[in-house]
Amino acid sequence: MAYTVTPTPAGPVGSQYCVCKVELSVCGQNLLDRDVTSKSDPFCVLFMEVNGKWVELDRTETAVNNLNPAFSKKFVIDYHFEEVQKLKFALFDQDKSSMQLYEHDFLGEFSCTLGMIVSSKKITRSLLLGNGKPAGKGMITIAAQELSDNRVITLSMAGRKLDKKDLFGKSDPFLEFYKPGDDGKWMLVHRTEVIKYTLDPVWKPFTVPLVSLCDGDVEKLIKVMCYDYDSDGGHDFIGEFQTSVARMCEAQDAFPLELECINPKKQKKKKNYKNSGIIIVKSCKITRDFSFLDYILGGCQLMFTVGIDFTASNGNPRDPSSLHYINPMGTNEYLSAIWAVGQIIQDYDSDKMFPALGFGAQLPPDWKVSHEFAINFNPTNPFCSGVEGIVQAYSACLPHIRFYGPTNFSPIVNHVARFAAQATQQEAASQYFILLIITDGVISDMDETRHAVVQASKLPMSIIIVGVGNADFAAMEFLDGDSRVLRSYTGEEAVRDIVQFVPFRDFRNAPKETLAKAVLAELPQQVVQYFKHQNLPPINSEPA
């Protein structure tokens, strides 16, 4: 089959509301040698089957000149007990710097389900070629670990007076971190970047899950090895030491922890051997990396508001060609969108009272145009009870209003933003606002809407826009900042992407849950991103 690289998946692979994450560690043994003058330079690519197609999820680093690689980059996957999650691990020999997989030599692949790996915890299987025959003696070992512990450790490391390993010039040092495996062997956990031409390196701070580094046990011994990098893969050993996370946590910004880097062979040979340099733990901090589920379980409420487009371009609601015409089945595209999104979000709001607003219509009795009116005609209490309440209020208001124009979004965006701004005064991850706008066309107040969205990006708020009908929705794509950062007319940039746009026509013939998945795809990460940016933990979270 042809492998294609997927730059960014259009939506999430599997549901966002996963029970847990699973980390997969991959090793290869006796891989095929595809290089003439040296050994293969393998990397592993993970694919998941989505709708009958293999979609690339992630890939490891490249192991230079190595037929028995242990990859330090781990694959992290959302695990769903109720789904058959088909995975494929494909190994390639890196030949060029290209991201296209067909540019690299294929070393073999192995397919299975995530359930198989999880139930066995660790599996070793033969690699197969595209024709189903064995890829020589090549084997793959995959080990699974549940990442239920959400603690992460951030380490800032440096070195001083490391041994010089290069004849001409200084060393090019890097560190490798190991933890004891179940089989008693040391297992590679993390590899730092290489710092060129120095005996006093300062590595970039790095963050890894605490479970990865020490199985969550801060007293467990871990081994740190220091090497001098060589481009041919034959890295020179400088020295090593053993320590624990608890010991490294003694390091403070003003009081770094210094550990001797020892080369056991040199230590045996030389009487007056002291060390092969000092490795310095400049700082070591343990924090929690909270997930969307952590915030929801911590008591965060999702506050849902609907904004409905009642402009004249929708057509007379009594005419079957109108987008607001309710067909004999009791539905239309507006109602379908309300149901699809509302049914999922209502589970996250305890009182299930949702404001439903309209825009672009003339209202009785004086027939003035309004761009933010309560569709239940009760401006002091625009709340509807549950999604059913929104649907009833929508159907009831249609005969009493005149569709007009223009299509102004900014009043409704600013309306919800006022409530989101009030919520920030609580300084807790207690509320997050979601505005669903359903519209048939082109925005009239684009400058004001852009400005409103840029301001709203600083608040606990996301906007979902569902485009109904067959209009040109290019302006909506512009608001959805997936491809570029949205800017206000003042030049101010949105601090994060909060708009998700979906044209309903793409889902007319699809199962109704697919629309919900598409429009809610980015929401969990938007919630987490906002609260992390504000340094707000879940309300009922334990300290790390």
Side-chain angles (χ1 to χ4, degrees):
M1 63 164 286
Y3 288 102
T4 54
V5 61
T6 313
T8 46
V13 176
S15 159
Q16 292 282 318
Y17 313 111
C18 56
V19 178
C20 65
K21 289 185 181 294
V22 173
E23 181 186 75
L24 302 178
S25 302
V26 179
C27 300
Q29 297 91 33
N30 303 316
L31 300 184
L32 286 173
D33 201 349
R34 295 290 198 196
D35 290 350
V36 181
T37 54
S38 62
K39 293 172 182 159
S40 291
D41 305 323
F43 64 96
C44 182
V45 184
L46 174 61
F47 297 87
M48 181 182 268
E49 190 176 275
V50 182
N51 301 328
K53 290 181 183 166
W54 290 111
V55 176
E56 179 179 339
L57 293 190
D58 206 352
R59 46 179 84 179
T60 65
E61 80 282 10
T62 298
V64 177
N65 229 359
N66 194 340
L67 301 183
N68 299 286
F71 298 108
S72 73
K73 166 80 184 277
K74 313 294 182 189
F75 294 126
V76 177
I77 302 182
D78 294 344
Y79 169 59
H80 300 276
F81 175 70
E82 73 285 359
E83 289 178 23
V84 177
Q85 292 172 281
K86 288 186 181 169
L87 304 178
K88 171 150 44 190
F89 299 82
L91 285 119
F92 294 87
D93 170 22
Q94 180 163 348
D95 283 336
K96 301 171 184 166
S97 58
S98 170
M99 290 295 286
Q100 301 295 340
L101 292 175
Y102 61 78
E103 299 265 13
H104 307 287
D105 292 329
F106 180 51
L107 298 175
E109 66 186 25
F110 167 66
S111 302
C112 63
T113 64
L114 183 55
M116 256 174 74
I117 304 170
V118 171
S119 60
S120 308
K121 199 169 180 193
K122 188 176 190 176
I123 59 172
T124 300
R125 296 286 188 276
S126 296
L127 290 167
L128 301 176
L129 296 172
N131 58 12
K133 291 182 178 170
K137 294 180 181 175
M139 307 285 282
I140 187 169
T141 299
I142 306 153
Q145 181 154 28
E146 185 181 333
L147 289 178
S148 52
D149 184 340
N150 62 8
R151 289 175 299 168
V152 294
I153 180 166
T154 302
L155 282 163
S156 186
M157 311 285 291
R160 189 173 72 241
K161 294 184 180 170
L162 297 179
D163 281 1
K164 180 169 168 283
K165 288 289 181 181
D166 293 347
L167 278 172
F168 309 104
K170 298 177 178 177
S171 294
D172 306 317
F174 67 93
L175 299 177
E176 288 189 340
F177 291 75
Y178 291 82
K179 69 178 177 187
D182 292 342
D183 54 4
K185 293 177 182 169
W186 289 102
M187 182 177 166
L188 176 65
V189 171
H190 181 77
R191 187 183 289 126
T192 67
E193 79 279 21
V194 176
I195 308 290
K196 292 272 192 179
Y197 316 122
T198 180
L199 303 179
D200 304 299
V202 178
W203 289 282
K204 284 180 195 160
F206 65 90
T207 302
V208 291
L210 198 63
V211 167
S212 294
L213 187 62
C214 60
D215 299 324
D217 178 358
V218 295
E219 301 297 341
K220 182 175 273 193
L221 273 185
I222 58 173
K223 181 161 78 167
V224 182
M225 302 182 79
C226 183
Y227 288 93
D228 167 36
Y229 174 83
D230 277 333
S231 56
D232 66 1
H235 311 306
D236 297 321
F237 176 62
I238 292 175
E240 66 183 40
F241 61 88
Q242 291 186 20
T243 184
S244 66
V245 169
R247 178 89 208 282
M248 290 195 292
C249 281
E250 293 169 15
Q252 302 293 328
D253 291 334
F255 305 101
L257 177 68
E258 300 198 350
L259 298 155
E260 286 189 302
C261 196
I262 303 296
N263 183 328
K265 284 184 182 172
K266 278 191 173 183
Q267 197 175 34
K268 275 184 183 172
K269 280 183 187 173
K270 293 184 180 179
K271 274 190 175 176
N272 57 352
Y273 174 81
K274 199 172 176 194
N275 58 49
S276 292
I278 302 289
I279 299 295
I280 303 156
V281 183
K282 292 166 67 183
S283 77
C284 173
K285 291 189 173 72
I286 297 176
T287 51
R288 289 193 183 274
D289 187 20
F290 296 111
S291 68
F292 174 68
L293 208 54
D294 287 325
Y295 284 104
I296 296 300
L297 293 172
C300 180
Q301 297 277 299
L302 299 185
M303 317 299 283
F304 182 45
T305 302
V306 179
I308 300 171
D309 179 344
F310 291 112
T311 54
S313 52
N314 282 278
N316 184 331
R318 287 180 287 279
D319 183 334
S321 66
S322 167
L323 291 166
H324 280 292
Y325 174 75
I326 297 176
N327 63 28
M329 307 284 288
T331 188
N332 61 28
E333 292 192 356
Y334 279 89
L335 287 169
S336 297
I338 291 167
W339 272 114
V341 180
Q343 272 185 313
I344 289 178
I345 291 183
Q346 71 176 348
D347 291 342
Y348 299 95
D349 186 332
S350 54
D351 68 4
K352 298 185 180 15
M353 297 298 290
F354 307 123
L357 308 171
F359 60 93
Q362 295 174 315
L363 305 187
D366 53 4
W367 304 109
K368 280 190 177 153
V369 178
S370 174
H371 295 294
E372 50 169 321
F373 63 91
I375 64 170
N376 65 0
F377 299 117
N378 185 345
T380 57
N381 185 11
F383 295 93
C384 303
S385 177
V387 182
E388 295 89 345
I390 299 174
V391 169
Q392 286 163 8
Y394 166 78
S395 304
C397 88
L398 283 174
H400 302 292
I401 59 176
R402 290 180 190 163
F403 290 14
Y404 204 68
T407 309
N408 289 355
F409 276 23
S410 59
I412 277 188
V413 173
N414 290 327
H415 175 101
V416 175
R418 285 194 292 276
F419 289 94
Q422 284 173 7
T424 60
Q425 292 166 10
Q426 296 177 31
E427 293 184 3
S430 55
Q431 291 181 323
Y432 193 92
F433 290 76
I434 292 137
L435 169 60
L436 169 65
I437 299 177
I438 313 168
T439 180
D440 81 320
V442 182
I443 302 175
S444 307
D445 63 338
M446 191 60 178
D447 280 355
E448 290 82 358
T449 297
R450 273 166 54 198
H451 187 69
V453 171
V454 167
Q455 299 313 310
S457 71
K458 305 168 193 170
L459 299 170
M461 175 173 168
S462 288
I463 302 166
I464 295 164
I465 304 173
V466 176
V468 294
N470 294 311
D472 174 11
F473 292 122
M476 308 295 178
E477 300 280 10
F478 176 74
L479 286 175
D480 186 340
D482 282 350
S483 52
R484 66 175 82 80
V485 177
L486 181 70
R487 279 190 172 82
S488 163
Y489 58 80
T490 63
E492 185 181 357
E493 290 187 351
V495 293
R496 57 197 185 93
D497 173 21
I498 62 164
V499 177
Q500 173 77 342
F501 167 72
V502 172
F504 188 88
R505 58 181 172 236
D506 291 359
F507 298 89
R508 275 180 193 143
N509 303 315
K512 60 180 184 294
E513 58 270 18
T514 53
L515 173 66
K517 272 185 181 174
V519 295
L520 297 172
E522 295 178 11
L523 186 69
Q525 69 203 52
Q526 288 173 358
V527 172
V528 172
Q529 192 185 24
Y530 173 78
F531 289 129
K532 277 188 182 171
H533 193 256
Q534 299 297 316
N535 285 325
L536 291 173
I539 299 166
N540 302 321
S541 62
E542 301 166 16

